[in-house]
Amino acid sequence: MDVRHLELLRELADRGTVTAVAAATFRSPSAVSQQLQTAERAFGMPLVEPDGRRLRLTAAGRLLAGGAVEVAATMGRLQRELDDLHGEPTGPVSIAALPSAAELLIPPLLVRCAGTGIAVTLADTDVAEADYADRAADYDLVIGHSLAEVPAGADRLVAVRVAAEPLDVAVPSGHRLAGHTSVSAADLAGEAWIGVPLGYPFDTVRIAIENRSGAALTVVQRIRDNRVVEAMVAAGIGCALLPRFTTRPRPDLVTLPLTDVRSVRSIVALGRPDRLERAAVRVVMAALTDIGANLGGVGAG
């Protein structure tokens, strides 16, 4: 049994298409297809089957792809034990992080890792929850957020909640609600709303506000970048949700707690099980959890 064949099937399970596997592994699609054929001959059974213009794993292919995760995790544990024999954990740890989460977590993480043998590299990225697994195929850790306990698309990953951050309603300073100490869903009924793209976590709260109040919000824009959202709210374009700890104070914007709809995001670090067995990755994960637990006392909330 060739471990390389198992890893190829795992990549197809995680990335979904031969083209995506080829791009990620710096091979041509035809080379990946040939390797799949070689794997099928080696195992003596079909491992992929047509699904429209794409290929999908057969039952045998899915079984072997799942086994690849266990094999990789075992190899990761062995590497960690070897690292332990050499003393302090060392090596690179790559992180892809949501910018607003990175702002909270990465600077103190880099300070902690300074002078150690662990070299953290960061890519700032903001994707829908369903794309977390794709990012985890390319990075040791993915830091994202979710309104759910387990992010969508994270079923093949290890997910650790490292922090919790309230989401407040932001209104322009001249808005009718600006003098309130908090707002309810009913207070927001009919308001112009600056939302996020469909599939992004904050949109769950917008739907909950509408369900609670029985009235729709008027979504005038869908923006990912919180700094752009802040500027739009300040300009009177609409109201929005903004995270409490990374929204900068400004005189033309007021943030208010939402009283009757749960609006707390979980900041989650996710990774493939085998990568989380590496000693350096485990040290970074522990540091992230400790940093998150001290953010306004909400990490354990």
Side-chain angles (χ1 to χ4, degrees), residues 51 102 164 175 224:
D51 181 22
H175 193 274
R224 290 183 301 178

Side-chain angles (χ1 to χ4, degrees), residues 93-107:
V93 177
S94 60
I95 299 176
L98 175 76
S100 62
E103 182 177 352
L104 287 171
L105 299 170
I106 300 303

